[in-house]
Amino acid sequence: MFKTYDDVMSFCKEHGIQMIDFKMIDLMGRWRHLGIPVGRFKPDTLRYGIGFDGSNYGFAPVENSDMVFIPDITTAVFDPFTEVPTLSMIGDVFVIAQPENYRFEQDPRSIAFKAEEYMKSTGIADEMRIGPEYEFYVFDHVTYENSPHRTGFSIDAEQAIWNGGENEFQNLGYKIPLKGGYHIGPPQDILYDLRSRMCVLLEENNIPVKYHHHEVGGPGQLEIEVEFGPMREMADKTMLAKYLIKNLAFQEGKTVTFMPKPLFGEAGSGMHVHMHLFKNGKPIFHDEKGYSGLSKKALNFIGGVLKHAPAVLAFTNPSTNSYKRLIPGYEAPVSVCFATANRSAVIRVPAYAKSPNQKRFEFRSADATCNPYLAYSAILMAGLDGIKRKIDPTAEGFGPYDVNLYTLSKEEQTKIKGLPKSLDEALDALEKDHEFLLAGGVFPQRLIEIWIENKRKEARRINDIPHPLEFEMYYDL
């Protein structure tokens, strides 16, 4: 938004800004923030930064936790949810050193920066443009509890089919059937106006929207697809989009979750990532003579992503809940393969994207519990490794499979490799296969170790808690 300190201060004066809020991403993918009065924002802030405790972000050990963040004024936006006029901007994490501080190598935003620089250094491309699809549920009521003597959750959504028999309050009868919400129209689509307001808000914050619609999940599953942009910029916009969507819903008395599988038996929420590479402004994924109009480099990129997919999932699908979505029967991919116009494949080539500048493919397994800087960087590094090593996806047995994979015989299905079935399996894969992430010093070895250690603790915590279904299945034995 701004190029200089003076630009920032002129805007603040013109719009009556009283507070400046700084947002930093922690290791797990949540925004943290700190605010200062606008009068405390000085030129030195952009050089020396503001101190904080890095250990609470999952980065630094307690004994060496003093760090600083330096604001990136190009990311500044007006925050529409604060009573006090506030300008918000993202901060980059730096290590305190003499004579000058330096960027912290484990900062997720720094890793995305290094991934883009590494891509340029290879000579393969100078830009990866991506377009995420944001799927999420909007609920009217959510409770959850995890106590030694009681555990469970409860969800409600006005348009859910389970409210068809509600007789205590006025019921107008227009409910959405199980998995029947795709492109459903009003009056069933009671969230249309909210969704439109979300899109207007995204547009006002320089996140161009491609389209929006009700998704398959009847109890309020929505999708907003945004236009393409450079990888790191789109990671910034992914965090901003989630912030805007959740806070607008909250402001209007509703609650949003990007959890991949909040409801048993309903469609899960993914974050499909469309991608293509450019060099000197020209697309390198198009070749009208290639399979589905894809170039050799594009196919090699696909080969790299699929070859490393189990390890990549440790970053693109980093929650235990992620693997409750990646099951057959819900349009979620479970097979490591590629195809055209096939939503049962991990990588889908859109049939409608025909022109050179549009020729691309999407990685369908990812979900929005990820840290977008790490997830997008991991996808890029896997694809670049495929191009460097000339990995042929067909020779590797990855397809193309231009058929419904769920209808193949069991014998045919066993020939196709499957995605990890749990977070632990994905972490096992990352432990065995992460050299491609270390290329060019993009992912630090220590970050991968910390990531695996923290995520195993998450998985263990989930596995250690008795599940309500276990009482139904085993209590009387």
Side-chain angles (χ1 to χ4, degrees):
M1 185 174 183
F2 303 113
K3 293 182 179 180
T4 67
Y5 169 82
D6 289 338
D7 290 342
V8 176
M9 299 312 293
S10 294
F11 178 90
C12 290
K13 184 177 181 180
E14 180 181 352
H15 293 85
I17 299 297
Q18 295 178 269
M19 299 294 294
I20 296 184
D21 194 56
F22 307 102
K23 292 182 171 64
M24 288 73 59
I25 193 166
D26 66 15
L27 185 61
M28 295 298 112
R30 291 183 175 91
W31 255 354
R32 311 289 183 102
H33 77 134
L34 177 149
I36 64 172
V38 68
R40 298 290 184 270
F41 187 68
K42 304 294 185 182
D44 277 357
T45 309
L46 300 180
R47 180 179 179 185
Y48 299 112
I50 297 174
F52 73 102
D53 178 2
S55 65
N56 278 306
Y57 282 57
F59 294 137
V62 174
E63 66 273 13
N64 187 30
S65 59
D66 282 351
M67 309 181 104
V68 297
F69 64 82
I70 294 179
D72 181 350
I73 61 176
T74 67
T75 67
V77 295
F78 178 78
D79 193 319
F81 301 109
T82 56
E83 291 184 17
V84 176
T86 300
L87 187 69
S88 176
M89 58 187 73
I90 296 174
D92 290 315
V93 180
F94 280 70
V95 174
I96 300 172
Q98 296 294 338
E100 295 288 341
N101 299 334
Y102 60 89
R103 295 192 74 146
F104 181 48
E105 66 172 4
Q106 294 177 27
D107 176 19
R109 200 161 185 263
S110 176
I111 289 171
F113 172 80
K114 288 187 292 183
E116 290 183 321
E117 292 302 301
Y118 173 71
M119 171 181 60
K120 296 173 185 176
S121 74
T122 64
I124 293 170
D126 51 35
E127 185 179 42
M128 178 165 87
R129 298 179 191 169
I130 65 171
E133 299 179 11
Y134 305 126
E135 295 178 344
F136 52 94
Y137 274 90
V138 179
F139 296 134
D140 294 294
H141 180 79
V142 175
T143 64
Y144 49 87
E145 182 178 2
N146 293 285
S147 302
H149 69 297
R150 184 167 54 228
T151 184
F153 65 90
S154 177
I155 293 172
D156 200 12
E158 182 182 344
Q159 74 272 33
I161 191 65
W162 61 68
N163 281 320
E166 173 60 52
N167 213 21
E168 184 175 351
F169 304 101
Q170 183 182 31
N171 192 337
L172 299 179
Y174 288 100
K175 307 303 177 187
I176 302 178
L178 180 72
K179 293 192 286 185
Y182 187 69
H183 286 192
I184 197 76
Q188 286 93 338
D189 184 12
I190 64 174
L191 297 171
Y192 174 76
D193 285 328
L194 174 61
R195 204 165 60 244
S196 292
R197 287 192 291 276
M198 289 174 175
C199 292
V200 170
L201 191 57
L202 294 180
E203 291 268 346
E204 290 174 348
N205 285 273
N206 196 30
I207 306 177
V209 172
K210 186 176 179 182
Y211 54 65
H212 69 88
H213 59 85
H214 202 289
E215 254 298 347
V216 172
Q221 188 186 34
L222 311 181
E223 176 179 314
I224 298 176
E225 185 170 342
V226 298
E227 296 289 359
F228 283 70
M231 185 197 77
R232 186 176 62 146
E233 177 185 314
M234 292 310 296
D236 289 342
K237 290 183 176 180
T238 295
M239 294 303 298
L240 179 58
K242 291 176 67 176
Y243 177 82
L244 295 172
I245 290 168
K246 288 190 287 186
N247 278 279
L248 181 61
F250 190 79
Q251 188 179 69
E252 299 199 11
K254 295 184 181 291
T255 179
V256 161
T257 182
F258 288 85
M259 276 181 66
K261 195 74 171 182
L263 294 169
F264 172 71
E266 267 292 4
S269 296
M271 187 179 70
H272 309 150
V273 183
H274 295 253
M275 68 199 77
H276 47 177
L277 298 184
F278 289 78
K279 185 174 183 179
N280 299 322
K282 297 181 179 179
I284 68 170
F285 275 3
H286 178 263
D287 182 352
E288 61 182 19
K289 297 180 181 179
Y291 166 78
S292 200
L294 293 172
S295 68
K296 184 68 173 177
K297 282 187 172 66
L299 291 169
N300 291 153
F301 193 102
I302 288 173
V305 172
L306 294 177
K307 182 82 171 178
H308 299 297
V312 169
L313 256 66
F315 289 109
T316 61
N317 301 74
S319 70
T320 57
N321 189 253
S322 298
Y323 299 87
K324 291 178 169 61
R325 166 181 166 255
L326 298 178
I327 56 177
Y330 292 89
E331 289 194 11
V334 295
S335 302
V336 183
C337 62
F338 74 106
T340 300
N342 191 337
R343 286 173 168 78
S344 59
V346 170
I347 287 183
R348 166 183 165 263
V349 184
Y352 54 78
K354 296 182 178 181
S355 72
N357 279 336
Q358 290 184 329
K359 182 49 61 179
R360 63 183 186 272
F361 45 82
E362 64 170 336
F363 184 70
R364 291 183 56 80
S365 67
D367 65 60
T369 60
C370 71
N371 183 320
Y373 301 99
L374 302 181
Y376 299 160
S377 297
I379 293 170
L380 174 58
M381 295 300 289
L384 292 176
D385 186 65
I387 293 176
K388 286 167 52 185
R389 294 169 53 195
K390 294 182 171 57
I391 297 176
D392 182 342
T394 299
E396 294 284 339
F398 298 139
Y401 287 94
D402 294 319
V403 296
N404 186 336
L405 299 174
Y406 303 133
T407 63
L408 291 177
S409 67
K410 289 186 177 181
E411 182 181 355
E412 289 295 319
Q413 288 183 3
T414 57
K415 297 178 182 178
I416 305 174
K417 296 177 182 177
L419 290 174
K421 293 181 175 59
S422 68
L423 178 57
D424 274 319
E425 283 190 24
L427 296 172
D428 290 343
L430 180 60
E431 277 187 327
K432 297 174 184 177
D433 176 28
H434 60 259
E435 286 297 319
F436 69 98
L437 297 171
L438 305 179
V442 174
F443 277 76
Q445 175 70 35
R446 182 57 185 145
L447 177 133
I448 294 174
E449 293 169 354
I450 292 172
W451 184 265
I452 292 173
E453 179 182 338
N454 287 340
K455 288 297 174 179
R456 287 208 189 280
K457 287 180 181 177
E458 284 183 24
R460 188 160 56 248
R461 184 183 176 197
I462 298 293
N463 292 334
D464 287 351
I465 296 176
H467 191 285
L469 188 59
E470 291 176 313
F471 280 80
E472 178 182 320
M473 297 173 68
Y474 308 127
Y475 185 80
D476 64 331
L477 292 177

